[in-house]
């Protein structure tokens, strides 16, 4: 290793480093504002307060980050699998020995004031393991063996974390799909994921209205599947004629049934929907046989799979999700207005953000947060403190800061000399992006509350330390890029 690569000040990316310090300081001040108590005033440096403890964790994180920058970059590649195995074992141990804290068994209690959440640290372990595996000699992503191994690496910690009753932390690992997409995973996989989300929302939101033996949500979902199938026909085969037959046939069939219903004739729209999608599947299968094309066969299988998925939405929602998760989803979709129950946090959060106006009420002057109307306001809902005290301008600055950090990470990931650095860098960026999008989305009521922190802003030692480790390992890999 030459002197330039080993010297931190000469090779570290100062843009990320400056953004990191600005964000943790901004988070520290926000935590002080969120936890400030008029009756028991504490200083920023008082270790008995939240801000004081966060300052301690900031110091520990900075020290750990500096150590990570001084280590040989090859160690992360060599030890990747060992680190992954260690944290998988730690997740298993956590399930067994962790106490029940607010319905979750995800915290290892070291002392009365120190608790660690292994799920937070497992993120960088999974990122390292995936990067190590994809950096293997002659690696090819699109093979059944490699896809199975990568899927297992991602899904195994998700299952263990869900067994700890931490669904939100488990969902973070889905961000690695974006990493695989960057490395060559077909876009159809991402598109299928988007379709799954849309179908889940449609099938659930309109599930209270029956249209024959199907609900309105299921009928609308079938119509969505038909439209998507026609679009995919054009995208894959440039077959505008088949797409037109699918759409026009559906429109004519539905139009005739609607006209008949105007004459007081009962129409079972459930049967109409099923017969329409069955006719389209049969048509695609016939076309596949006639033109000897796997594409049409794939489209038929896609449509059938979507129908099977739609039929399982109600089962998953009622029998798999827990009651509090069901309520949160219903509140987010506008199906229920539980302002004093599951919707209380989000409603108070929106009031706090809205009351901040353009420039905010000023530091320590937020009434919603100071009077403790918003639960978890210094952890998962820290963004509402920013909105109330710093207003729209402050909120935008926070989003720009985190957004700039993420974009810089992606930029550095693209310029890495090897697959290990690039894959790990994209893993880091995608995890930060997921946390930012979901946390802000749930605070402003666009997404269900799943309880994940805002990077560098939410109070918690595990959170800031885990994000620091995640980021500084990548900084160390980037420092070594010239040598490689």
């Amino acid at each position: 290793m030459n002197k330039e690569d080993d010297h931190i000040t000469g090779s570290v990316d100062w843009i990320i480093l400056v953004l990191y310090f600005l964000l943790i300081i901004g988070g520290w001040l926000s935590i002080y504002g969120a936890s400030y108590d008029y009756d028991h005033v504490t200083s920023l440096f008082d270790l008995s307060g939240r801000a004081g403890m966060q300052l301690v964790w900031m110091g520990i994180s900075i020290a750990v980050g500096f150590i990570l920058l001084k280590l040989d970059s090859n160690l992360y590649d060599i030890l990747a699998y060992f680190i992954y195995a260690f944290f998988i074992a730690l997740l298993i141990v956590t399930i067994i020995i962790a106490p029940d804290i607010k319905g979750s068994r995800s915290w290892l209690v070291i002392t009365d004031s120190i608790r660690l959440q292994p799920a937070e640290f497992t993120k960088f372990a999974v990122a390292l393991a995936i990067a190590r595996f994809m950096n293997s000699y002659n690696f090819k992503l699109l093979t059944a063996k490699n896809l199975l191994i990568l899927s297992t690496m991602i899904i195994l910690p998700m299952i263990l974390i869900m067994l700890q009753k931490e669904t939100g932390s488990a969902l973070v690992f889905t961000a690695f799909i974006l990493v695989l997409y960057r490395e060559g995973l077909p876009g159809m996989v991402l598109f299928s994921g988007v379709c799954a989300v849309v179908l889940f929302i449609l099938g659930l939101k309109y599930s209270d209205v029956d249209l024959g033996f199907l609900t309105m949500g299921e009928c609308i979902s079938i119509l969505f599947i038909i439209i998507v199938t026609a679009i995919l026909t054009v995208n894959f085969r440039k077959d505008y004629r088949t797409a037109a037959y699918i759409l026009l046939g559906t429109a004519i069939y539905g139009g005739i049934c609607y006209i008949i219903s105007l004459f007081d004739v009962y129409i079972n729209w459930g049967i109409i929907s099923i017969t329409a999608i069955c006719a389209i599947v049969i048509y695609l299968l016939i076309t596949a046989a006639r033109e000897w094309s796997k594409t049409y066969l794939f489209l038929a299988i896609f449509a059938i799979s979507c129908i099977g998925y739609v039929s399982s939405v109600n089962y998953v929602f009622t029998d798999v999700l827990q009651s509090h998760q069901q309520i949160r989803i219903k509140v987010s979709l506008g199906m229920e207005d539980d302002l004093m129950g599951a919707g209380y946090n989000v409603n108070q959060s929106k009031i706090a953000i809205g009351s901040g106006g353009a420039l905010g009420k000023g530091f320590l002057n937020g009434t919603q947060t100071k009077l403790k109307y918003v639960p978890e306001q210094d952890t998962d809902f820290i963004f509402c403190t920013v909105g109330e005290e710093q207003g729209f301008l402050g909120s935008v600055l926070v989003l720009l800061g985190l957004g700039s950090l993420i974009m810089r990470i992606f930029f550095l990931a693209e310029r890495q000399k090897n697959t290990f650095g690039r894959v790990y860098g994209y893993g880091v960026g995608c995890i930060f992006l997921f946390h930012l999008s979901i946390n802000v989305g749930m605070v402003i009521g666009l997404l269900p509350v799943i309880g994940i922190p805002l990077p560098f802003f939410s109070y918690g030692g595990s959170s800031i330390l885990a994000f620091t480790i995640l980021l500084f390992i990548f900084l160390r890999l980037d420092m070594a890029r010239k040598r490689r």
Side-chain angles (χ1 to χ4, degrees):
M1 180 181 296
N2 59 45
K3 185 176 181 180
E4 181 182 4
D5 287 335
D6 190 47
H7 194 256
I8 293 178
T9 58
S11 55
V12 71
D13 187 78
W14 282 97
I15 295 178
I16 284 187
L17 212 55
V18 169
L19 286 172
Y20 169 77
F21 281 108
L22 289 176
L23 289 170
I24 63 172
I25 291 173
W28 176 48
L29 294 175
S30 297
I31 290 169
Y32 182 67
S35 59
Y36 188 83
D37 191 338
Y38 289 122
D39 297 327
H40 301 89
V41 178
T42 59
S43 73
L44 275 164
F45 306 96
D46 190 338
L47 297 183
S48 65
R50 293 278 215 175
M53 283 303 300
Q54 185 73 0
L55 186 61
V56 172
W57 281 109
M58 288 166 59
I60 294 173
S61 298
I62 293 171
V64 171
F66 181 78
I67 293 172
L68 293 174
L69 293 181
K70 295 296 291 182
L71 294 176
D72 189 332
S73 60
N74 291 321
L75 282 176
Y76 302 116
D77 192 335
I78 295 170
L79 299 177
Y81 291 150
F82 296 101
I83 294 173
Y84 178 84
F86 172 78
F87 279 101
I88 290 297
L90 191 59
L91 288 177
I92 296 173
V93 171
T94 302
I95 297 173
I96 300 172
I97 69 173
D100 191 312
I101 300 176
K102 296 182 179 180
S104 171
R105 302 179 65 90
S106 61
W107 294 90
L108 293 178
V109 179
I110 311 300
T111 67
D112 292 338
S113 58
I114 300 178
R115 297 181 299 181
L116 293 177
Q117 189 176 23
E120 290 293 326
F121 300 94
T122 306
K123 298 167 190 174
F124 84 84
V126 174
L128 283 174
I130 289 176
R132 173 69 180 85
F133 182 69
M134 298 182 73
N135 194 43
S136 304
Y137 175 73
N138 203 28
F139 173 83
K140 293 181 180 180
L141 176 63
L142 299 181
T143 64
K145 178 183 176 181
N146 289 339
L147 286 175
L148 178 61
I149 293 174
L150 287 170
S151 299
T152 303
M153 285 182 173
I154 297 171
I155 294 174
L156 178 58
M158 291 180 66
I159 294 174
L160 295 175
I161 294 171
M162 291 183 72
L163 291 175
Q164 299 173 3
K165 305 294 181 63
E166 277 290 334
T167 306
S169 297
L171 290 176
V172 173
F173 291 85
T174 59
F176 287 108
I177 296 177
L178 297 176
V179 181
L180 301 183
Y181 173 70
R182 164 60 184 84
E183 295 302 312
L185 191 70
M188 189 61 192
V189 176
L190 286 182
F191 184 76
S192 299
V194 173
C195 288
V197 173
V198 173
L199 290 174
F200 184 86
I201 294 174
L202 290 176
L204 184 61
K205 185 173 178 61
Y206 303 101
S207 60
D208 296 335
V209 181
D210 291 326
L211 295 178
F213 70 94
L214 295 182
T215 65
M216 178 185 289
E218 290 171 329
C219 291
I220 295 175
S221 297
I222 290 176
L223 178 60
F224 175 79
I225 294 169
I226 292 173
I227 294 173
V228 169
T229 302
I231 293 174
L232 292 178
T233 302
V234 174
N235 182 67
F236 288 141
R237 295 284 297 183
K238 306 299 181 185
D239 189 349
Y240 294 94
R241 184 179 64 179
T242 299
Y245 286 163
I246 292 174
L247 295 177
L248 288 176
T250 302
I252 293 172
Y253 182 43
I256 292 174
C257 294
Y258 176 73
I259 292 173
I260 293 175
S261 69
L262 296 178
F263 295 94
D264 293 329
V265 177
Y266 173 73
I267 299 294
N268 189 318
W269 290 103
I271 294 177
I272 300 301
S273 301
I274 291 296
T275 54
I277 191 66
C278 287
I280 290 171
V281 168
I282 293 172
Y283 175 65
L284 289 172
L285 291 174
I286 293 174
T287 305
R290 185 178 65 245
E291 300 191 11
W292 202 247
S293 171
K294 293 182 179 179
T295 303
Y296 294 107
L297 178 62
F298 164 77
L299 292 174
I301 295 174
F302 172 79
I304 294 171
S305 301
C306 287
I307 293 298
Y309 174 79
V310 169
S311 64
S312 69
V313 167
N314 187 61
Y315 169 76
V316 171
F317 184 77
T318 57
D319 296 334
V320 176
L321 296 180
Q322 299 178 17
S323 57
H324 69 277
Q325 295 170 332
Q326 297 174 13
I327 293 296
R328 288 175 179 177
I329 293 175
K330 285 186 176 181
V331 170
S332 299
L333 296 179
M335 299 172 65
E336 292 187 10
D337 293 321
D338 189 11
L339 298 182
M340 298 306 296
Y344 178 79
N345 290 27
V346 175
N347 184 56
Q348 294 299 323
S349 174
K350 290 192 289 186
I351 292 173
I353 294 174
S355 66
L359 301 177
K361 297 177 179 178
F363 186 55
L364 302 182
N365 291 326
T367 54
Q368 288 292 115
T369 51
K370 298 303 166 291
L371 297 176
K372 312 301 180 185
Y373 282 113
V374 185
E376 309 295 340
Q377 61 190 20
D378 57 357
T379 53
D380 297 340
F381 282 81
I382 188 69
F383 190 70
C384 74
T385 302
V386 177
E388 183 179 29
E389 295 190 349
Q390 311 306 323
F392 177 76
L393 179 61
S395 301
V396 170
L397 289 176
V398 169
L399 294 177
L400 285 176
L402 287 167
S404 299
L405 176 68
I406 294 168
M407 294 304 296
R408 183 65 180 175
I409 291 171
F410 286 145
F411 173 78
L412 295 183
E414 278 295 332
R415 73 178 188 181
Q416 296 305 302
K417 302 292 186 180
N418 63 2
T419 303
F420 182 82
R422 183 179 68 248
V423 172
Y424 181 80
Y426 267 94
V428 174
C430 290
I431 289 173
F432 274 97
L433 179 62
F434 187 94
H435 272 270
L436 174 61
S437 304
I438 300 302
N439 182 274
V440 174
M442 73 181 190
V443 168
I444 62 178
L446 293 180
L447 297 172
V449 178
I450 61 174
I452 63 173
L454 184 64
F456 305 128
F457 274 78
S458 295
Y459 172 78
S462 294
S463 174
I464 188 172
L465 182 56
F467 280 123
T468 299
I469 293 173
L470 190 71
L471 181 62
F472 275 68
I473 288 177
F474 178 60
L475 281 176
R476 183 63 189 93
L477 295 176
D478 182 64
M479 287 168 58
R481 70 185 182 277
K482 293 180 182 179
R483 177 173 59 85
R484 290 200 176 108

